[in-house]
Amino acid sequence: MENEEDFDVRWAALRQDLKQKFGKKPDLNAILFLVGIQELGQGLREFTKEEKQDLMHIATCKLLSLSGYYQLEGTDQDGWPHWKSVKPLPACNLKEQERMLKWHAVEYFDQL
């Protein structure tokens, strides 16, 4: 993995880019929400609280699939993707988990 300084620059650049597109600098949760909407592929609409939680789960699985932790199983009758865990996540504290998700988010948007 890259050093902390380089990563911080890439994370800040992603947040700035998204601020230019959406008018507000997003935090990690907002970025997960955006990834979830993108992966669902049904466009922007009103989501229930439960659907918002599901979108965050979809995003987390999608991001962690970039490192082989999850694999897409398919979609249900409503078009929502379902993922399965294919290898255990490394044991880490909350700060390390957040950094891991941020790193994967940067990689995700770099690939778009």
Side-chain angles (χ1 to χ4, degrees):
M1 264 199 197
E2 64 200 309
N3 71 43
E4 217 45 54
E5 235 174 72
D6 290 344
F7 170 73
D8 288 343
V9 168
R10 290 177 69 211
W11 175 248
L14 170 61
R15 292 182 68 212
Q16 187 60 39
D17 183 48
L18 292 173
K19 179 184 179 186
Q20 289 176 337
K21 289 182 176 137
F22 298 103
K24 188 175 175 189
K25 191 179 275 190
D27 62 7
L28 178 58
N29 285 334
I31 290 173
L32 288 174
F33 185 66
L34 287 172
V35 171
I37 291 170
Q38 174 75 22
E39 291 303 309
L40 180 60
Q42 296 180 2
L44 208 47
R45 61 174 172 85
E46 287 291 316
F47 292 98
T48 66
K49 184 176 181 178
E50 185 178 321
E51 286 175 328
K52 288 177 183 176
Q53 290 173 330
D54 291 344
L55 287 168
M56 304 277 279
H57 177 72
I58 288 168
T60 300
C61 293
K62 172 59 183 180
L63 294 180
L64 295 176
S65 75
L66 299 175
S67 290
Y69 293 106
Y70 285 86
Q71 184 176 0
L72 183 63
E73 280 189 302
T75 55
D76 64 21
Q77 68 274 10
D78 297 321
W80 287 71
H82 291 270
W83 298 82
K84 68 177 179 180
S85 174
V86 290
K87 73 178 182 182
L89 289 164
C92 52
N93 64 36
L94 202 54
K95 184 176 177 162
E96 292 165 334
Q97 287 175 21
E98 185 176 286
R99 186 189 190 288
M100 189 169 153
L101 280 173
K102 286 178 178 178
W103 184 85
H104 283 88
V106 170
E107 290 296 307
Y108 174 86
F109 281 96
D110 280 353
Q111 291 177 14
L112 284 183

